[in-house]
């Protein structure tokens, strides 16, 4: 395929996806020529029934731009900046997207989100080709089938781009990746381009918020709901009310918030936001293990969930009742200390207790899961007492955020090659400690070898299975109460004093 065919193909793609109207095709082509710095073009019709592959079209144009010197470096950061600019030429104006979403929402919220999710893929804001590279599987555990993924959809920056980014002047625009100023932003070497990014306004509990999708879609229809204002995350009564109001308006979605303290919080604590989507996590399927009755709330079904982390589930028809009880539990937990159970509300004035809340609809009922969190650190566990401990860092060292709390592991991309090498050496019997790829996994791998009859056919499956079981241990260590009898008694001590 030559350059002209690729330009024509891109315009045809936009027509096919209803990003532009037929009378806008010439305008779209001219916009692409402008970005690509091309002053000659001849319309070359595509062959009838020729399949249009967006990634291939963009690759042809990016390769050509590099050959002509328009693209200064042929690396992922520079290519992303240019192909996003190209897609921005074909992406409808923000007001058009907002109007379409609002119109469909009058029919049903699900029709609106169905369209908007597909639109976000069609504009290449969600890069489907990259998301497809993620390695995913399920592992059966005593807590149900956990979702395990090795994240390969975030491309690694090349050294030249990193060096060039350091030379760029500091900028606080946009303030963060979630701010409204991202819409249409041209990007820079240390901040992604967003010309193809569109958001839709929603009102939650009387306040102005926006809805968008995550470009990395860790699960189906992975959406982000964020405050119009760049204001810090805060778990409080208003947060519970907003979560429940969201699922009232979008009953086919769950929604949750990361905790509001470092270590147990998300990666963006500076901007108030939630994550949601159309997906059933293992935690949602997990049953109540111990029923609870809170004084004054007999209309609220409550219980401790059978889950590796410490979860109180509340269910009721009236969302305001859940807000009241959740606030009561939160306020109690914020100030709760149980030294016997190693729960300290604060040390030297630094607070440690907070909650990761998740809301959903259960038929006509509203449901709220409250995951108790604590970010205490000690010399023995400098990254967090209720955080993956050192012996599990070969698989997972990063913070445990909302998505993982619910049972979906987002494991680092390094594991793709490391775990493959472990599987190979389990078959060959080679010394794991001699290879940098496997040395960090050697003790774990040797334990696996002692428990299985490993063959070339089953090695990778066994490594996947054991990795999933490590993730279950990660969640157990992130839980503030252990799963043994002593831990269950300590959990009930907190519940009873609420």
């Amino acid at each position: 395929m030559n350059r002209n065919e690729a330009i024509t193909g891109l315009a045809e793609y936009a027509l096919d996806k209803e990003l532009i109207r037929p009378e806008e095709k010439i305008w779209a082509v001219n916009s692409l020529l402008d970005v690509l710095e091309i002053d000659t073009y001849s319309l070359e019709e595509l062959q009838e029934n020729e399949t249009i592959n967006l990634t291939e079209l963009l690759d042809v144009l990016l390769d050509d731009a590099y050959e002509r010197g328009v693209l200064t470096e042929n690396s992922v950061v520079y290519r992303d900046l240019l192909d996003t600019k190209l897609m921005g030429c074909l992406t409808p104006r923000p007001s058009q997207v907002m109007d379409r979403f609002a119109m469909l929402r009058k029919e049903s919220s699900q029709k609106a989100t169905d369209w908007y999710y597909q639109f976000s893929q069609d504009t290449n804001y969600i890069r489907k080709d990259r998301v497809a590279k993620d390695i995913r599987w399920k592992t059966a555990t005593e807590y149900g089938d956990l979702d395990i993924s090795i994240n390969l959809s975030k491309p690694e920056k090349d050294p030249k781009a990193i060096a060039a980014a350091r030379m760029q002047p500091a900028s606080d625009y946009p303030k963060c990746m979630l701010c409204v100023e991202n819409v249409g932003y041209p990007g820079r070497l240390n901040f992604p381009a967003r010309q193809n990014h569109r958001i839709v306004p929603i009102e939650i509990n009387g306040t102005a918020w926006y809805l968008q999708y995550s470009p990395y879609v860790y699960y189906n229809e992975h959406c982000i709901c964020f405050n119009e204002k760049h204001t810090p995350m805060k778990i409080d009564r208003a947060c519970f009310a907003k979560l429940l109001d969201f699922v009232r308006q979008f009953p086919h979605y769950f929604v949750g918030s990361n905790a509001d303290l470092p270590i147990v919080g998300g990666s963006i604590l500076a901007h108030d936001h939630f994550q949601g989507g159309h997906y059933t996590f293992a935690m949602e399927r997990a049953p109540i293990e111990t029923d609870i009755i809170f004084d004054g709330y007999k209309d609220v079904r409550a219980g401790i969930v059978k889950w590796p982390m410490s979860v109180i589930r509340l269910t009721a028809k009236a969302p305001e009742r859940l807000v009241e009880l959740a606030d009561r539990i939160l306020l109690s937990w914020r100030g709760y200390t149980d030294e016997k159970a190693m729960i300290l509300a604060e040390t030297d004035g630094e607070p440690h207790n907070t909650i990761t809340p998740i809301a959903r609809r259960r038929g006509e009922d509203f449901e709220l899961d409250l995951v108790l969190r604590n970010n205490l650190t000690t010399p023995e566990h400098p990254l967090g007492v209720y955080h993956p401990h050192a012996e599990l860092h070969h698989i997972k060292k990063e913070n445990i955020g909302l998505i993982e709390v619910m049972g979906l592991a987002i494991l680092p991309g390094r594991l793709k090659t490391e775990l493959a090498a472990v599987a190979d050496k389990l078959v060959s019997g080679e010394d794991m400690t001699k290879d940098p790829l496997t040395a960090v996994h050697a003790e774990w791998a040797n334990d696996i070898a002692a428990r299985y009859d490993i063959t070339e056919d089953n090695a990778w499956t066994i490594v996947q299975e054991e990795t999933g079981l490590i993730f279950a241990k990660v969640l157990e260590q992130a839980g503030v109460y252990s799963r043994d009898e002593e831990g269950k008694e300590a959990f009930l001590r907190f519940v009873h004093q609420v």
Side-chain angles (χ1 to χ4, degrees), residues 340-391:
K340 185 180 177 183
M342 199 57 183
I343 305 294
L344 303 181
E346 58 88 23
T347 54
D348 300 323
E350 179 188 350
H352 296 306
N353 289 346
T354 186
I355 280 176
T356 298
I358 301 106
R360 65 182 73 90
R361 297 296 295 274
R362 191 80 76 166
E364 293 298 309
D365 290 340
F366 289 81
E367 191 165 89
L368 198 57
D369 280 352
L370 305 176
V371 188
L372 305 183
R373 311 298 302 274
N374 179 288
N375 74 347
L376 179 70
T377 60
T378 64
E380 184 185 359
H381 299 295
L383 298 182
V385 174
Y386 306 107
H387 178 87
H389 295 173
E391 71 271 14

Side-chain angles (χ1 to χ4, degrees), residues 125-128 131 153 194 212-217 222 224:
Y125 175 71
I126 296 173
R127 295 174 180 263
K128 291 186 291 185
V131 174
S153 54
R194 290 289 184 251
Q212 67 173 68
Y213 287 101
S214 165
Y216 305 111
V217 288
H222 178 184
I224 300 171

Side-chain angles (χ1 to χ4, degrees), residues 135 149-152 154 156 390 392-398 410-422 436-438 440-441 444 460:
I135 300 172
S149 72
I150 297 176
N151 177 33
L152 303 171
K154 284 187 180 179
E156 293 183 17
L392 305 183
H393 287 179
H394 67 104
I395 296 295
K396 181 68 177 177
K397 185 178 182 179
E398 299 78 15
I410 303 169
L411 303 180
R414 64 178 171 83
L415 290 179
K416 177 186 177 183
T417 51
E418 290 179 10
L419 295 183
V422 167
L437 284 176
T438 57
V440 70
H441 302 290
W444 171 64
W460 176 242

